[in-house]
Amino acid sequence: MSNIGNELGQVLNSVLTTGEGAGLDDLCQGVVRRYRDAGEPEPDAIYVDRDCCSESGESPVLTWFRPWTFTVRLDVFHFMRRFTNGLTTEHHPLYGTFCSKLSSCIFKWDKADIEKLQQAKRAELVKKHPGHNPTHSQVLASITTSELAKHCRRKTRGVEETRALIQQLLDSMWDLTDTTGLSLINQESMSRVWEVQQKHLPCIQDPTGVQLYINTGSKLEKGDKALDVLRCARGSSSLESFHKHQCCFIPGKLKHLTFKILC
Ligand SMILES: [Zn+2]
């Protein structure tokens, strides 16, 4: 199954083949033609779930979408998923902690956006409980993941900072176990995963000069403040759900995703 989506979360093309990789060239050239016929500008960046770079130089994605020139990037969700191969099980109680820490090794929040959201949430709490002055940690605890995603921008930290942070994270978790003594990390597998994935650290960095956040124009009232609602072009959750949904309809053992591109 090959799916192509755009920055608006729309699915542009979806093709099911019996063999992996068959017809990819036609599929991509078809999308190039549709953009040209519609007078749409060429994309600045394409996010993929594999083939982001190649030992021999150029990513094959650039050939499939010729004559376009763009930055090829690896989708961060897929980069992170690869680390699960170095874990003993995804059902480990420390799994969630590991994933959220891994994500903060890659991204940092925009300070000004966070500050604005905190002020709004503080005002909201004061309105709800008049006469009570909420502490900083009460304000932080009241912020949901969806509020962060709607009102705050994130950007990648850069190759060297992320490399050092992931190394620190692994060093702090190599030996951690649950109460039954089961380790979270399989040291041998994780060492292999980390060695290979370090090559892709440049591939997950935000492409320079590409506007990844769009202000949707709508605002949400919080406390006495109106916060901008942002949409991020990075990430592939809508395409991912679409893909998963389709796979449920198709009988057979090979249900995994083979290839996916975000324009
Ligand atoms: Zn790569």
Side-chain angles (χ1 to χ4, degrees), residues 52-106:
C52 49
C53 54
S54 123
E55 300 257 327
S56 60
E58 229 176 45
S59 159
V61 183
L62 282 156
T63 313
W64 291 326
F65 284 96
R66 69 191 174 276
W68 285 352
T69 48
F70 49 86
T71 312
V72 183
R73 284 293 179 258
L74 173 63
D75 181 64
V76 175
F77 167 78
H78 289 93
F79 173 80
M80 286 176 54
R81 280 295 296 167
R82 295 172 182 180
F83 281 80
T84 52
N85 290 332
L87 303 177
T88 50
T89 163
E90 286 176 40
H91 304 292
H92 199 282
L94 292 168
Y95 176 70
T97 313
F98 177 78
C99 292
S100 79
K101 287 195 171 191
L102 184 58
S103 165
S104 34
C105 294
I106 298 166

Side-chain angles (χ1 to χ4, degrees), residues 108-118 152-153 155:
K108 61 180 163 202
W109 291 101
D110 181 284
K111 272 197 190 134
D113 289 348
I114 292 282
E115 182 71 23
K116 245 191 262 172
L117 177 60
Q118 285 178 0
C152 303
R153 278 168 283 229
K155 58 177 180 214

Side-chain angles (χ1 to χ4, degrees), residues 4-262:
I4 302 179
N6 66 8
E7 70 280 9
L8 302 172
Q10 296 162 328
V11 178
L12 300 177
N13 211 345
S14 174
V15 172
L16 176 68
T17 51
T18 49
E20 187 171 311
L24 271 182
D25 199 76
D26 289 344
L27 169 69
C28 299
Q29 283 298 302
V31 168
V32 170
R33 226 171 11 250
R34 279 169 60 194
Y35 266 66
R36 197 184 51 217
D37 292 350
E40 282 291 314
E42 295 178 12
D44 297 316
I46 293 186
Y47 277 85
V48 296
D49 66 354
R50 45 178 266 203
D51 294 314
C52 49
C53 54
S54 123
E55 300 257 327
S56 60
E58 229 176 45
S59 159
V61 183
L62 282 156
T63 313
W64 291 326
F65 284 96
R66 69 191 174 276
W68 285 352
T69 48
F70 49 86
T71 312
V72 183
R73 284 293 179 258
L74 173 63
D75 181 64
V76 175
F77 167 78
H78 289 93
F79 173 80
M80 286 176 54
R81 280 295 296 167
R82 295 172 182 180
F83 281 80
T84 52
N85 290 332
L87 303 177
T88 50
T89 163
E90 286 176 40
H91 304 292
H92 199 282
L94 292 168
Y95 176 70
T97 313
F98 177 78
C99 292
S100 79
K101 287 195 171 191
L102 184 58
S103 165
S104 34
C105 294
I106 298 166
F107 292 117
K108 61 180 163 202
W109 291 101
D110 181 284
K111 272 197 190 134
D113 289 348
I114 292 282
E115 182 71 23
K116 245 191 262 172
L117 177 60
Q118 285 178 0
Q119 282 171 7
K121 291 298 284 187
R122 175 174 290 277
E124 194 180 62
L125 286 176
V126 170
K127 220 174 177 179
K128 227 189 251 175
H129 312 283
H132 172 73
N133 188 19
T135 62
H136 185 59
S137 50
Q138 280 168 332
V139 173
L140 290 188
S142 72
I143 298 175
T144 64
T145 338
S146 129
E147 284 173 326
L148 278 170
K150 269 191 205 129
H151 306 299
C152 303
R153 278 168 283 229
R154 282 194 306 176
K155 58 177 180 214
T156 49
R157 292 177 178 273
V159 173
E160 288 318 317
E161 191 177 338
T162 293
R163 192 196 310 275
L165 287 173
I166 296 181
Q167 187 62 59
Q168 271 173 35
L169 172 65
L170 292 175
D171 288 344
S172 71
M173 295 190 93
W174 285 124
D175 302 315
L176 290 191
T177 62
D178 66 6
T179 47
T180 67
L182 175 70
S183 303
L184 170 70
I185 294 178
N186 175 324
Q187 298 205 10
E188 200 188 322
S189 317
M190 187 59 93
S191 303
R192 237 185 349 256
V193 167
W194 179 218
E195 195 189 321
V196 174
Q197 293 315 314
Q198 288 193 56
K199 289 182 201 146
H200 299 295
L201 289 174
C203 309
I204 55 168
Q205 303 303 317
D206 290 345
T208 38
V210 178
Q211 191 70 34
L212 285 174
Y213 283 88
I214 301 159
N215 195 329
T216 59
S218 52
K219 291 194 182 279
L220 273 182
E221 297 282 335
K222 273 190 206 299
D224 51 357
K225 311 228 180 321
L227 295 176
D228 290 333
V229 178
L230 307 164
R231 188 177 49 224
C232 183
R234 201 203 292 113
S236 61
S237 42
S238 62
L239 198 57
E240 206 54 53
S241 338
F242 174 77
H243 182 84
K244 226 174 157 190
H245 194 63
Q246 279 179 318
C247 289
C248 295
F249 286 117
I250 304 159
K253 283 180 196 145
L254 289 169
K255 287 187 175 174
H256 62 270
L257 166 78
T258 56
F259 180 76
K260 180 170 57 60
I261 293 171
L262 289 175

